[in-house]
Structure formats: C-alpha cells, structure tokens
Amino acid sequence: MIDINYNRQEKQYEWIEPESGERFTFPAKQKHEAFRFAVSMLDTDLYAAAERMIDDHPQLERVTWRAVELVCANAIEVFPAPLGNVVAMVDSSDGYGRYAIEEHEYGFSCQCEHFTSLAAPLTQNGERYCKHLAAYRLHLRTHETRF
Ligand SMILES: [Zn+2]
C-alpha cells in the first residue's frame, strides 16, 4: 500500500520511501504525480506495464492509473480455473463490494457502472476498459513476467 500524506502546514504532499526512509515532497494538487513517482520507485514492472498500456492506448490513461492504484492495493483476485465465465474479482475502489470480470467469446466484461453504462473508454480494437478490467490486465502482465 502506498501511503501519501498531505502536510497542511507546508501545503504539500509527502511520501516516505519505506526502505531508505527518504522523504519526497510534491506540490498541492499533485497527489497523482506523487503516487506515480512512488510506483516508479517501488514497482518498476508495474510502472513499465502501465506506461506501455498508455502508449498503446492513450485514451486509457485515466483508467490505467486508477487500475495501478487497485493493483497496489492487492484488489485483484484471479481464479486459476474460471467459475463459469468469471475469471477474476476486483475490489471496488471505495472498499464496498467487488466486481466480477468475465471472459466471453467477444472479449471481457466488468459488472461496474462505468463499464455497463458504456461510459468506459474504448480502445482502437473496440475493447472497452474500466479501471477494474485494466487492473486485471496489469495484474496478469506484471505477475506473468515475475515467474
Ligand atoms: Zn469495472
């Protein structure tokens, strides 16, 4: 879990690198930048996978960084053997409930509102991605390369 704190007195975000104890600071309104920096330091595989996904699909930039937050929070449970069409469960960002990721002949789907309302962005291949589906993809990519 990446812990970024806001220092009200100094009006800046702070992140302490867990191993060295070194403190990094970021201006107010740059919490996302602070988070990305922390990921680049702690999990280079995940950071590289996110950058690659955004390079391939620039329209997924927002969804991808939210997905990185889910991966860092260990929010993805992949089933080794699918249960029906369900290949994984992903915790919701607010901590209430989980969403099933399903694999179909035409591709993947998620149960969340962003996906089912068709508001989630489409790639040039016609695949729709909410943050949960992007998190599932990032989880697979980063875990496959580790073994
Ligand atoms: Zn979703």
Side-chain angles (χ1 to χ4, degrees), residues 85-124:
N85 290 325
V86 181
V87 291
M89 296 294 293
V90 180
D91 295 345
S92 118
S93 295
D94 59 15
Y96 295 101
R98 305 170 86 197
Y99 299 111
I101 304 295
E102 292 185 52
E103 186 172 12
H104 312 274
E105 277 174 36
Y106 57 83
F108 290 89
S109 68
C110 178
Q111 293 177 309
C112 76
E113 167 78 25
H114 196 211
F115 189 94
T116 56
S117 68
L118 309 183
L122 274 176
T123 66
Q124 46 279 48

Side-chain angles (χ1 to χ4, degrees), residues 112-144:
C112 76
E113 167 78 25
H114 196 211
F115 189 94
T116 56
S117 68
L118 309 183
L122 274 176
T123 66
Q124 46 279 48
N125 325 327
E127 294 174 295
R128 194 175 295 283
Y129 277 93
C130 61
K131 61 186 170 186
H132 311 103
L133 249 178
Y136 170 67
R137 279 293 161 91
L138 285 175
H139 178 92
L140 289 188
R141 282 188 193 178
T142 53
H143 285 71
E144 274 166 5

Side-chain angles (χ1 to χ4, degrees), residues 40-85:
S40 75
M41 297 278 286
L42 294 179
D43 195 335
T44 48
D45 286 350
L46 177 59
Y47 191 80
E51 295 254 275
R52 224 178 309 134
M53 191 179 257
I54 293 165
D55 279 350
D56 292 346
H57 309 292
Q59 64 274 52
L60 298 185
E61 183 170 5
R62 266 174 75 88
V63 163
T64 300
W65 287 114
R66 297 204 165 178
V68 169
E69 294 178 22
L70 288 167
V71 175
C72 287
N74 286 320
I76 301 103
E77 182 190 358
V78 175
F79 300 137
L83 301 172
N85 290 325

